[in-house]
Amino acid sequence: IKLTRDAELYIDDEFTGNLLAKIKKGLSKRDTGVPSRFLFDKNISLHFLKFLRESLSLEKEDLIPGGKYHNFSDFFSFPNPGKNSLEFPLMPQLKHSGIEKHKNIFDAIREKDRALFFPYHKYNYVIEFLNRAANDPAVVSIKVTQYRVAKDSAIIKAMIDAVNNGKEVMVFVEVKARFDEESNIQWAEEMEKAGVKVFYSFPGLKVHAKLALVARIENGKEVKYSYFGTGNFNERTAKIYSDIALFTMNEKLTNEAEQVFKFLSGEIVNYEFQHLLVAQFNMRKELLKLIDNEIQFAVEGKEAKIILKLNSLEDKKMIKKLYEASAAGVKINIIIRGICCLVPGIKGISENINVISILDRYL
């Protein structure tokens, strides 16, 4: 048998009082949440099933018959019974030749922007970037966002090393990352003890950005190096999640990354971003503008195409705009990981939209 409880953190009011304390209180109640699903062996005796239903206060709709085994996450570590054909062939992670030719990752970034594609590239470069920053005498400050933290996080250890080495370290920790709330809070408190300036979640807002900003003194002048990524600062999941990352010292981008961190630390409440697309500021407006550009190309008889890779697509305004683009003749390919509320293939509405979800060795 397996009982699943409602694990949602029901916080009545995020805007008053201590949000962190409310989240901690909600976590303490997670194990006693309302039952939402009860899986059981279909061969169980009716007498015993009735006993379980009454003891656990289950409704009829909570009951789902099945097989004998229900903890499917165990299959991640299921041993190979002896057939190599059941496993994916080994795919060693690639070295980045542009970074590898330099002894110092800062030199590699200074030469030119460096793009990485995980899990095909080694994630070690991200850890090296932060470790070197933590131990480099020329580095004066490090700022990082954290959404989902690895169990034994090399990133967090680098931040603690940095503050112990006299760097100014700021970390924004999103404690509303579902099912990682407790882990994130524990790591945040560990960093605070070491002297890291830790900032926590905003009321009514979830910070999903993956940013790092390193300030370094070079030739008597402060210069900034930034990391922008689509994936978490998590060396474990970086081996199976498909993500893109960019190392850069382009001032247009590093200066705006600095503004993001000022917002996260409460120094500013508004900013006119010109280069980064930042949710709550300009992301929706700029995305709609980009789609309108493709619509105009289609109207003019030019090639018009959109490729989107998303976790989910539920936003009504964005779906409406994509329908408009399709009707104008824009070819749209969408790769969705989870929920998709857009319906493709409807004549006159979405016939130019193709939606797929990739189920393979990498997410």
Side-chain angles (χ1 to χ4, degrees), residues 320-355:
K320 184 178 179 181
K321 178 60 71 172
L322 290 170
Y323 283 154
E324 181 186 338
S326 172
V330 180
K331 300 296 182 183
I332 303 171
N333 286 310
I334 306 176
I335 304 167
I336 295 280
R337 172 184 166 183
I339 297 169
C340 180
C341 297
L342 179 150
V343 182
I346 301 174
K347 191 172 182 180
I349 299 177
S350 59
E351 59 192 303
N352 287 311
I353 302 177
N354 181 51
V355 180

PDB file of all heavy atoms in Angstrom, residues 320-355:
ATOM      1  N   LYS A 320      -3.076  32.921 -26.398  1.00  0.00           N
ATOM      2  CA  LYS A 320      -3.863  33.679 -27.373  1.00  0.00           C
ATOM      3  C   LYS A 320      -2.949  34.297 -28.440  1.00  0.00           C
ATOM      4  O   LYS A 320      -3.276  34.296 -29.641  1.00  0.00           O
ATOM      5  CB  LYS A 320      -4.660  34.770 -26.653  1.00  0.00           C
ATOM      6  CG  LYS A 320      -5.594  35.562 -27.559  1.00  0.00           C
ATOM      7  CD  LYS A 320      -6.383  36.592 -26.753  1.00  0.00           C
ATOM      8  CE  LYS A 320      -7.306  37.394 -27.670  1.00  0.00           C
ATOM      9  NZ  LYS A 320      -8.072  38.423 -26.895  1.00  0.00           N
ATOM     10  N   LYS A 321      -1.809  34.823 -28.013  1.00  0.00           N
ATOM     11  CA  LYS A 321      -0.875  35.443 -28.950  1.00  0.00           C
ATOM     12  C   LYS A 321      -0.256  34.389 -29.878  1.00  0.00           C
ATOM     13  O   LYS A 321      -0.049  34.646 -31.079  1.00  0.00           O
ATOM     14  CB  LYS A 321       0.214  36.192 -28.186  1.00  0.00           C
ATOM     15  CG  LYS A 321       1.276  36.851 -29.056  1.00  0.00           C
ATOM     16  CD  LYS A 321       0.692  37.878 -30.021  1.00  0.00           C
ATOM     17  CE  LYS A 321       0.204  39.122 -29.330  1.00  0.00           C
ATOM     18  NZ  LYS A 321      -0.195  40.182 -30.299  1.00  0.00           N
ATOM     19  N   LEU A 322       0.013  33.204 -29.362  1.00  0.00           N
ATOM     20  CA  LEU A 322       0.557  32.132 -30.204  1.00  0.00           C
ATOM     21  C   LEU A 322      -0.483  31.656 -31.222  1.00  0.00           C
ATOM     22  O   LEU A 322      -0.139  31.345 -32.365  1.00  0.00           O
ATOM     23  CB  LEU A 322       1.035  30.968 -29.326  1.00  0.00           C
ATOM     24  CG  LEU A 322       2.301  31.247 -28.493  1.00  0.00           C
ATOM     25  CD1 LEU A 322       2.544  30.123 -27.494  1.00  0.00           C
ATOM     26  CD2 LEU A 322       3.524  31.427 -29.393  1.00  0.00           C
ATOM     27  N   TYR A 323      -1.743  31.611 -30.821  1.00  0.00           N
ATOM     28  CA  TYR A 323      -2.819  31.288 -31.771  1.00  0.00           C
ATOM     29  C   TYR A 323      -2.865  32.345 -32.886  1.00  0.00           C
ATOM     30  O   TYR A 323      -3.019  32.026 -34.069  1.00  0.00           O
ATOM     31  CB  TYR A 323      -4.170  31.253 -31.063  1.00  0.00           C
ATOM     32  CG  TYR A 323      -4.449  30.006 -30.244  1.00  0.00           C
ATOM     33  CD1 TYR A 323      -5.325  30.055 -29.151  1.00  0.00           C
ATOM     34  CD2 TYR A 323      -3.863  28.785 -30.558  1.00  0.00           C
ATOM     35  CE1 TYR A 323      -5.603  28.919 -28.396  1.00  0.00           C
ATOM     36  CE2 TYR A 323      -4.132  27.642 -29.806  1.00  0.00           C
ATOM     37  CZ  TYR A 323      -4.996  27.718 -28.730  1.00  0.00           C
ATOM     38  OH  TYR A 323      -5.264  26.597 -28.003  1.00  0.00           O
ATOM     39  N   GLU A 324      -2.734  33.614 -32.496  1.00  0.00           N
ATOM     40  CA  GLU A 324      -2.735  34.702 -33.470  1.00  0.00           C
ATOM     41  C   GLU A 324      -1.575  34.542 -34.455  1.00  0.00           C
ATOM     42  O   GLU A 324      -1.744  34.741 -35.667  1.00  0.00           O
ATOM     43  CB  GLU A 324      -2.626  36.040 -32.735  1.00  0.00           C
ATOM     44  CG  GLU A 324      -2.638  37.259 -33.648  1.00  0.00           C
ATOM     45  CD  GLU A 324      -2.389  38.555 -32.896  1.00  0.00           C
ATOM     46  OE1 GLU A 324      -2.610  38.585 -31.659  1.00  0.00           O
ATOM     47  OE2 GLU A 324      -1.961  39.540 -33.534  1.00  0.00           O
ATOM     48  N   ALA A 325      -0.408  34.169 -33.928  1.00  0.00           N
ATOM     49  CA  ALA A 325       0.764  33.983 -34.786  1.00  0.00           C
ATOM     50  C   ALA A 325       0.553  32.821 -35.747  1.00  0.00           C
ATOM     51  O   ALA A 325       0.883  32.904 -36.941  1.00  0.00           O
ATOM     52  CB  ALA A 325       2.001  33.746 -33.914  1.00  0.00           C
ATOM     53  N   SER A 326      -0.015  31.736 -35.249  1.00  0.00           N
ATOM     54  CA  SER A 326      -0.278  30.571 -36.093  1.00  0.00           C
ATOM     55  C   SER A 326      -1.241  30.927 -37.220  1.00  0.00           C
ATOM     56  O   SER A 326      -1.030  30.565 -38.381  1.00  0.00           O
ATOM     57  CB  SER A 326      -0.847  29.431 -35.249  1.00  0.00           C
ATOM     58  OG  SER A 326      -1.282  28.364 -36.064  1.00  0.00           O
ATOM     59  N   ALA A 327      -2.304  31.647 -36.872  1.00  0.00           N
ATOM     60  CA  ALA A 327      -3.303  32.035 -37.869  1.00  0.00           C
ATOM     61  C   ALA A 327      -2.704  32.935 -38.942  1.00  0.00           C
ATOM     62  O   ALA A 327      -3.146  32.930 -40.100  1.00  0.00           O
ATOM     63  CB  ALA A 327      -4.475  32.736 -37.186  1.00  0.00           C
ATOM     64  N   ALA A 328      -1.639  33.686 -38.567  1.00  0.00           N
ATOM     65  CA  ALA A 328      -0.982  34.578 -39.530  1.00  0.00           C
ATOM     66  C   ALA A 328       0.010  33.830 -40.418  1.00  0.00           C
ATOM     67  O   ALA A 328       0.530  34.404 -41.374  1.00  0.00           O
ATOM     68  CB  ALA A 328      -0.270  35.700 -38.781  1.00  0.00           C
ATOM     69  N   GLY A 329       0.279  32.562 -40.062  1.00  0.00           N
ATOM     70  CA  GLY A 329       1.196  31.764 -40.878  1.00  0.00           C
ATOM     71  C   GLY A 329       2.551  31.505 -40.267  1.00  0.00           C
ATOM     72  O   GLY A 329       3.441  30.944 -40.919  1.00  0.00           O
ATOM     73  N   VAL A 330       2.752  31.889 -39.005  1.00  0.00           N
ATOM     74  CA  VAL A 330       4.030  31.639 -38.331  1.00  0.00           C
ATOM     75  C   VAL A 330       4.117  30.159 -37.965  1.00  0.00           C
ATOM     76  O   VAL A 330       3.187  29.602 -37.380  1.00  0.00           O
ATOM     77  CB  VAL A 330       4.160  32.500 -37.051  1.00  0.00           C
ATOM     78  CG1 VAL A 330       5.497  32.229 -36.367  1.00  0.00           C
ATOM     79  CG2 VAL A 330       4.022  33.982 -37.375  1.00  0.00           C
ATOM     80  N   LYS A 331       5.224  29.515 -38.324  1.00  0.00           N
ATOM     81  CA  LYS A 331       5.446  28.113 -37.968  1.00  0.00           C
ATOM     82  C   LYS A 331       5.997  28.058 -36.539  1.00  0.00           C
ATOM     83  O   LYS A 331       7.031  28.663 -36.244  1.00  0.00           O
ATOM     84  CB  LYS A 331       6.435  27.458 -38.933  1.00  0.00           C
ATOM     85  CG  LYS A 331       5.988  27.476 -40.386  1.00  0.00           C
ATOM     86  CD  LYS A 331       4.728  26.653 -40.601  1.00  0.00           C
ATOM     87  CE  LYS A 331       4.312  26.640 -42.070  1.00  0.00           C
ATOM     88  NZ  LYS A 331       3.044  25.893 -42.280  1.00  0.00           N
ATOM     89  N   ILE A 332       5.306  27.329 -35.682  1.00  0.00           N
ATOM     90  CA  ILE A 332       5.672  27.320 -34.257  1.00  0.00           C
ATOM     91  C   ILE A 332       5.909  25.884 -33.792  1.00  0.00           C
ATOM     92  O   ILE A 332       5.044  25.018 -33.931  1.00  0.00           O
ATOM     93  CB  ILE A 332       4.554  27.957 -33.402  1.00  0.00           C
ATOM     94  CG1 ILE A 332       4.266  29.384 -33.894  1.00  0.00           C
ATOM     95  CG2 ILE A 332       4.949  27.968 -31.926  1.00  0.00           C
ATOM     96  CD1 ILE A 332       3.041  30.014 -33.258  1.00  0.00           C
ATOM     97  N   ASN A 333       7.085  25.638 -33.245  1.00  0.00           N
ATOM     98  CA  ASN A 333       7.416  24.351 -32.636  1.00  0.00           C
ATOM     99  C   ASN A 333       7.635  24.561 -31.142  1.00  0.00           C
ATOM    100  O   ASN A 333       8.423  25.425 -30.742  1.00  0.00           O
ATOM    101  CB  ASN A 333       8.672  23.754 -33.264  1.00  0.00           C
ATOM    102  CG  ASN A 333       8.412  23.217 -34.656  1.00  0.00           C
ATOM    103  OD1 ASN A 333       7.461  22.453 -34.865  1.00  0.00           O
ATOM    104  ND2 ASN A 333       9.217  23.611 -35.618  1.00  0.00           N
ATOM    105  N   ILE A 334       6.920  23.786 -30.334  1.00  0.00           N
ATOM    106  CA  ILE A 334       6.999  23.941 -28.880  1.00  0.00           C
ATOM    107  C   ILE A 334       7.387  22.609 -28.243  1.00  0.00           C
ATOM    108  O   ILE A 334       6.787  21.574 -28.536  1.00  0.00           O
ATOM    109  CB  ILE A 334       5.653  24.424 -28.291  1.00  0.00           C
ATOM    110  CG1 ILE A 334       5.187  25.712 -28.992  1.00  0.00           C
ATOM    111  CG2 ILE A 334       5.782  24.662 -26.797  1.00  0.00           C
ATOM    112  CD1 ILE A 334       3.825  26.198 -28.530  1.00  0.00           C
ATOM    113  N   ILE A 335       8.389  22.661 -27.363  1.00  0.00           N
ATOM    114  CA  ILE A 335       8.803  21.489 -26.583  1.00  0.00           C
ATOM    115  C   ILE A 335       8.392  21.752 -25.141  1.00  0.00           C
ATOM    116  O   ILE A 335       8.882  22.680 -24.502  1.00  0.00           O
ATOM    117  CB  ILE A 335      10.322  21.269 -26.669  1.00  0.00           C
ATOM    118  CG1 ILE A 335      10.769  21.147 -28.129  1.00  0.00           C
ATOM    119  CG2 ILE A 335      10.733  20.017 -25.892  1.00  0.00           C
ATOM    120  CD1 ILE A 335      12.270  21.235 -28.324  1.00  0.00           C
ATOM    121  N   ILE A 336       7.454  20.961 -24.642  1.00  0.00           N
ATOM    122  CA  ILE A 336       6.881  21.181 -23.309  1.00  0.00           C
ATOM    123  C   ILE A 336       7.259  20.021 -22.392  1.00  0.00           C
ATOM    124  O   ILE A 336       7.096  18.854 -22.742  1.00  0.00           O
ATOM    125  CB  ILE A 336       5.341  21.272 -23.380  1.00  0.00           C
ATOM    126  CG1 ILE A 336       4.899  22.495 -24.179  1.00  0.00           C
ATOM    127  CG2 ILE A 336       4.752  21.312 -21.975  1.00  0.00           C
ATOM    128  CD1 ILE A 336       4.923  23.786 -23.428  1.00  0.00           C
ATOM    129  N   ARG A 337       7.736  20.362 -21.211  1.00  0.00           N
ATOM    130  CA  ARG A 337       8.069  19.322 -20.237  1.00  0.00           C
ATOM    131  C   ARG A 337       6.836  18.814 -19.496  1.00  0.00           C
ATOM    132  O   ARG A 337       6.684  17.628 -19.251  1.00  0.00           O
ATOM    133  CB  ARG A 337       9.086  19.882 -19.234  1.00  0.00           C
ATOM    134  CG  ARG A 337       9.372  18.953 -18.066  1.00  0.00           C
ATOM    135  CD  ARG A 337      10.310  19.609 -17.074  1.00  0.00           C
ATOM    136  NE  ARG A 337      10.328  18.880 -15.822  1.00  0.00           N
ATOM    137  CZ  ARG A 337      11.017  19.257 -14.754  1.00  0.00           C
ATOM    138  NH1 ARG A 337      11.730  20.354 -14.796  1.00  0.00           N
ATOM    139  NH2 ARG A 337      10.976  18.560 -13.642  1.00  0.00           N
ATOM    140  N   GLY A 338       5.956  19.752 -19.130  1.00  0.00           N
ATOM    141  CA  GLY A 338       4.822  19.357 -18.288  1.00  0.00           C
ATOM    142  C   GLY A 338       3.478  19.740 -18.874  1.00  0.00           C
ATOM    143  O   GLY A 338       3.065  19.239 -19.919  1.00  0.00           O
ATOM    144  N   ILE A 339       2.793  20.674 -18.219  1.00  0.00           N
ATOM    145  CA  ILE A 339       1.427  21.046 -18.588  1.00  0.00           C
ATOM    146  C   ILE A 339       1.416  21.929 -19.833  1.00  0.00           C
ATOM    147  O   ILE A 339       2.205  22.854 -19.955  1.00  0.00           O
ATOM    148  CB  ILE A 339       0.750  21.787 -17.430  1.00  0.00           C
ATOM    149  CG1 ILE A 339       0.626  20.859 -16.204  1.00  0.00           C
ATOM    150  CG2 ILE A 339      -0.632  22.301 -17.823  1.00  0.00           C
ATOM    151  CD1 ILE A 339       0.220  21.585 -14.939  1.00  0.00           C
ATOM    152  N   CYS A 340       0.490  21.641 -20.756  1.00  0.00           N
ATOM    153  CA  CYS A 340       0.310  22.487 -21.936  1.00  0.00           C
ATOM    154  C   CYS A 340      -1.188  22.697 -22.151  1.00  0.00           C
ATOM    155  O   CYS A 340      -1.918  21.755 -22.449  1.00  0.00           O
ATOM    156  CB  CYS A 340       0.934  21.852 -23.176  1.00  0.00           C
ATOM    157  SG  CYS A 340       0.748  22.862 -24.668  1.00  0.00           S
ATOM    158  N   CYS A 341      -1.650  23.942 -21.998  1.00  0.00           N
ATOM    159  CA  CYS A 341      -3.065  24.269 -22.183  1.00  0.00           C
ATOM    160  C   CYS A 341      -3.368  24.731 -23.604  1.00  0.00           C
ATOM    161  O   CYS A 341      -4.529  24.944 -23.947  1.00  0.00           O
ATOM    162  CB  CYS A 341      -3.487  25.333 -21.178  1.00  0.00           C
ATOM    163  SG  CYS A 341      -3.369  24.789 -19.459  1.00  0.00           S
ATOM    164  N   LEU A 342      -2.345  24.910 -24.420  1.00  0.00           N
ATOM    165  CA  LEU A 342      -2.544  25.240 -25.835  1.00  0.00           C
ATOM    166  C   LEU A 342      -2.911  23.974 -26.593  1.00  0.00           C
ATOM    167  O   LEU A 342      -2.317  22.916 -26.376  1.00  0.00           O
ATOM    168  CB  LEU A 342      -1.262  25.863 -26.394  1.00  0.00           C
ATOM    169  CG  LEU A 342      -1.236  26.268 -27.865  1.00  0.00           C
ATOM    170  CD1 LEU A 342      -0.305  27.459 -28.072  1.00  0.00           C
ATOM    171  CD2 LEU A 342      -0.789  25.115 -28.759  1.00  0.00           C
ATOM    172  N   VAL A 343      -3.871  24.078 -27.498  1.00  0.00           N
ATOM    173  CA  VAL A 343      -4.294  22.919 -28.290  1.00  0.00           C
ATOM    174  C   VAL A 343      -3.792  23.104 -29.725  1.00  0.00           C
ATOM    175  O   VAL A 343      -4.259  23.997 -30.429  1.00  0.00           O
ATOM    176  CB  VAL A 343      -5.820  22.761 -28.281  1.00  0.00           C
ATOM    177  CG1 VAL A 343      -6.227  21.526 -29.081  1.00  0.00           C
ATOM    178  CG2 VAL A 343      -6.342  22.678 -26.853  1.00  0.00           C
ATOM    179  N   PRO A 344      -2.862  22.297 -30.175  1.00  0.00           N
ATOM    180  CA  PRO A 344      -2.325  22.457 -31.532  1.00  0.00           C
ATOM    181  C   PRO A 344      -3.212  21.778 -32.579  1.00  0.00           C
ATOM    182  O   PRO A 344      -4.079  20.965 -32.254  1.00  0.00           O
ATOM    183  CB  PRO A 344      -0.969  21.756 -31.445  1.00  0.00           C
ATOM    184  CG  PRO A 344      -1.187  20.673 -30.430  1.00  0.00           C
ATOM    185  CD  PRO A 344      -2.169  21.236 -29.433  1.00  0.00           C
ATOM    186  N   GLY A 345      -2.993  22.148 -33.834  1.00  0.00           N
ATOM    187  CA  GLY A 345      -3.618  21.438 -34.938  1.00  0.00           C
ATOM    188  C   GLY A 345      -5.056  21.780 -35.239  1.00  0.00           C
ATOM    189  O   GLY A 345      -5.720  21.082 -36.017  1.00  0.00           O
ATOM    190  N   ILE A 346      -5.585  22.861 -34.653  1.00  0.00           N
ATOM    191  CA  ILE A 346      -6.969  23.267 -34.939  1.00  0.00           C
ATOM    192  C   ILE A 346      -6.961  24.154 -36.189  1.00  0.00           C
ATOM    193  O   ILE A 346      -6.290  25.184 -36.218  1.00  0.00           O
ATOM    194  CB  ILE A 346      -7.589  24.035 -33.753  1.00  0.00           C
ATOM    195  CG1 ILE A 346      -7.574  23.168 -32.487  1.00  0.00           C
ATOM    196  CG2 ILE A 346      -9.018  24.461 -34.092  1.00  0.00           C
ATOM    197  CD1 ILE A 346      -8.048  23.917 -31.254  1.00  0.00           C
ATOM    198  N   LYS A 347      -7.697  23.759 -37.192  1.00  0.00           N
ATOM    199  CA  LYS A 347      -7.701  24.490 -38.452  1.00  0.00           C
ATOM    200  C   LYS A 347      -8.140  25.939 -38.261  1.00  0.00           C
ATOM    201  O   LYS A 347      -9.144  26.223 -37.624  1.00  0.00           O
ATOM    202  CB  LYS A 347      -8.632  23.790 -39.461  1.00  0.00           C
ATOM    203  CG  LYS A 347      -8.498  24.330 -40.877  1.00  0.00           C
ATOM    204  CD  LYS A 347      -9.275  23.483 -41.870  1.00  0.00           C
ATOM    205  CE  LYS A 347      -9.084  24.011 -43.287  1.00  0.00           C
ATOM    206  NZ  LYS A 347      -9.827  23.209 -44.289  1.00  0.00           N
ATOM    207  N   GLY A 348      -7.347  26.844 -38.816  1.00  0.00           N
ATOM    208  CA  GLY A 348      -7.653  28.261 -38.726  1.00  0.00           C
ATOM    209  C   GLY A 348      -7.238  28.909 -37.425  1.00  0.00           C
ATOM    210  O   GLY A 348      -7.308  30.135 -37.281  1.00  0.00           O
ATOM    211  N   ILE A 349      -6.812  28.104 -36.465  1.00  0.00           N
ATOM    212  CA  ILE A 349      -6.417  28.645 -35.156  1.00  0.00           C
ATOM    213  C   ILE A 349      -4.985  28.262 -34.805  1.00  0.00           C
ATOM    214  O   ILE A 349      -4.144  29.117 -34.524  1.00  0.00           O
ATOM    215  CB  ILE A 349      -7.367  28.165 -34.038  1.00  0.00           C
ATOM    216  CG1 ILE A 349      -8.798  28.650 -34.311  1.00  0.00           C
ATOM    217  CG2 ILE A 349      -6.891  28.645 -32.668  1.00  0.00           C
ATOM    218  CD1 ILE A 349      -9.810  28.152 -33.302  1.00  0.00           C
ATOM    219  N   SER A 350      -4.714  26.950 -34.836  1.00  0.00           N
ATOM    220  CA  SER A 350      -3.394  26.493 -34.381  1.00  0.00           C
ATOM    221  C   SER A 350      -2.804  25.422 -35.298  1.00  0.00           C
ATOM    222  O   SER A 350      -2.015  24.597 -34.859  1.00  0.00           O
ATOM    223  CB  SER A 350      -3.496  25.956 -32.950  1.00  0.00           C
ATOM    224  OG  SER A 350      -4.428  24.878 -32.890  1.00  0.00           O
ATOM    225  N   GLU A 351      -3.204  25.432 -36.570  1.00  0.00           N
ATOM    226  CA  GLU A 351      -2.720  24.398 -37.490  1.00  0.00           C
ATOM    227  C   GLU A 351      -1.223  24.506 -37.763  1.00  0.00           C
ATOM    228  O   GLU A 351      -0.593  23.541 -38.214  1.00  0.00           O
ATOM    229  CB  GLU A 351      -3.494  24.460 -38.808  1.00  0.00           C
ATOM    230  CG  GLU A 351      -3.399  25.797 -39.532  1.00  0.00           C
ATOM    231  CD  GLU A 351      -4.418  25.897 -40.666  1.00  0.00           C
ATOM    232  OE1 GLU A 351      -4.378  25.036 -41.545  1.00  0.00           O
ATOM    233  OE2 GLU A 351      -5.242  26.830 -40.629  1.00  0.00           O
ATOM    234  N   ASN A 352      -0.618  25.672 -37.474  1.00  0.00           N
ATOM    235  CA  ASN A 352       0.813  25.851 -37.692  1.00  0.00           C
ATOM    236  C   ASN A 352       1.633  25.629 -36.424  1.00  0.00           C
ATOM    237  O   ASN A 352       2.821  25.932 -36.384  1.00  0.00           O
ATOM    238  CB  ASN A 352       1.093  27.256 -38.236  1.00  0.00           C
ATOM    239  CG  ASN A 352       0.653  27.397 -39.684  1.00  0.00           C
ATOM    240  OD1 ASN A 352       0.969  26.568 -40.519  1.00  0.00           O
ATOM    241  ND2 ASN A 352      -0.120  28.447 -39.962  1.00  0.00           N
ATOM    242  N   ILE A 353       0.968  25.099 -35.402  1.00  0.00           N
ATOM    243  CA  ILE A 353       1.661  24.851 -34.131  1.00  0.00           C
ATOM    244  C   ILE A 353       1.858  23.353 -33.928  1.00  0.00           C
ATOM    245  O   ILE A 353       0.919  22.566 -34.047  1.00  0.00           O
ATOM    246  CB  ILE A 353       0.876  25.432 -32.938  1.00  0.00           C
ATOM    247  CG1 ILE A 353       0.658  26.940 -33.125  1.00  0.00           C
ATOM    248  CG2 ILE A 353       1.633  25.182 -31.637  1.00  0.00           C
ATOM    249  CD1 ILE A 353      -0.164  27.578 -32.016  1.00  0.00           C
ATOM    250  N   ASN A 354       3.082  22.968 -33.608  1.00  0.00           N
ATOM    251  CA  ASN A 354       3.413  21.580 -33.294  1.00  0.00           C
ATOM    252  C   ASN A 354       3.942  21.524 -31.868  1.00  0.00           C
ATOM    253  O   ASN A 354       4.832  22.294 -31.499  1.00  0.00           O
ATOM    254  CB  ASN A 354       4.474  21.054 -34.269  1.00  0.00           C
ATOM    255  CG  ASN A 354       4.831  19.608 -33.982  1.00  0.00           C
ATOM    256  OD1 ASN A 354       3.956  18.755 -33.863  1.00  0.00           O
ATOM    257  ND2 ASN A 354       6.122  19.330 -33.859  1.00  0.00           N
ATOM    258  N   VAL A 355       3.376  20.646 -31.047  1.00  0.00           N
ATOM    259  CA  VAL A 355       3.778  20.532 -29.646  1.00  0.00           C
ATOM    260  C   VAL A 355       4.233  19.106 -29.368  1.00  0.00           C
ATOM    261  O   VAL A 355       3.534  18.146 -29.701  1.00  0.00           O
ATOM    262  CB  VAL A 355       2.624  20.892 -28.686  1.00  0.00           C
ATOM    263  CG1 VAL A 355       3.082  20.750 -27.238  1.00  0.00           C
ATOM    264  CG2 VAL A 355       2.128  22.304 -28.948  1.00  0.00           C
TER     265      VAL A 355
END
